Amino acid sequence: MKKISKVWSAARLVVVAALLFVGLLAPVLAQAASRAEQVLALVNAERRKAGLGPLALSQRCQAQADKRAKEIFQRGRFNHKGAFNGLRGYGLMGENIAKGYRSPAAVVRGWMHSKGHRANILSRKYNHLGVGYYKGCWVQTFGGGRLKIVRRIVRRKRR
């Protein structure tokens, strides 16, 4: 009977720990999703003002943006080198990065006041967006078109 009681106590402890973990993690995950959705809404508002169609969140762009934001923070490399490593499936790609902004509204405002970043946000060639954030580092990854695979047939001339 003691053995069953110990197993039952351990099982309850695991369940309580799991519920606590999920309870603590859920707001963090919701906030991350909320950040991306807020940036998307703000970007689409700017595009609407310019007479452009909306961008859609893309899981592929989102995964790349999340990866890049973490990489920029961890490596301290605030540049576009390696921006599209691992992002496949788009014929056209773009990236905006920023550091130190505290909210989605602030970072979008900052990007809109920068000629190059604004050009990406208002580009007709993009239709998908991913938004990454990690410890103050923001990344927008844009995707557009389809990946074009070009095969070249090289014929040797006979001598």
Side-chain angles (χ1 to χ4, degrees), residues 16-149:
V16 169
L19 290 172
L20 181 62
F21 178 73
V22 170
L24 293 175
L25 189 59
V28 172
L29 294 175
Q31 185 180 11
S34 170
R35 254 189 218 111
E37 290 166 358
Q38 287 176 45
V39 169
L40 176 69
L42 292 164
V43 163
N44 282 336
E46 294 294 340
R47 290 177 62 85
R48 195 170 28 260
K49 285 184 213 172
L52 300 169
L55 298 176
L57 280 181
S58 155
Q59 287 182 352
R60 187 177 292 158
C61 289
Q62 186 66 40
Q64 181 66 16
D66 286 335
K67 176 181 153 190
R68 286 281 296 141
K70 191 171 185 177
E71 177 184 280
I72 288 169
F73 177 81
Q74 290 177 338
R75 295 186 182 173
R77 185 174 22 166
F78 191 73
N79 61 36
H80 296 287
K81 190 173 184 175
F84 306 112
N85 293 345
L87 183 61
R88 303 286 182 258
Y90 291 104
L92 304 164
M93 294 172 275
E95 180 186 69
N96 284 347
I97 60 177
K99 199 172 184 180
Y101 291 93
R102 293 181 178 253
S103 71
V107 75
V108 171
R109 193 169 35 257
W111 281 325
M112 289 304 291
H113 284 96
S114 163
K115 186 177 178 182
H117 296 111
R118 180 184 179 87
N120 276 341
I121 289 170
L122 299 180
S123 175
R124 294 180 187 278
K125 64 185 179 179
Y126 301 129
N127 50 19
H128 290 112
L129 177 69
V131 179
Y133 176 83
Y134 187 81
K135 296 187 178 182
C137 296
W138 296 85
V139 176
Q140 283 184 313
T141 302
F142 299 89
R146 292 188 181 217
L147 183 63
K148 296 178 182 177
I149 299 173

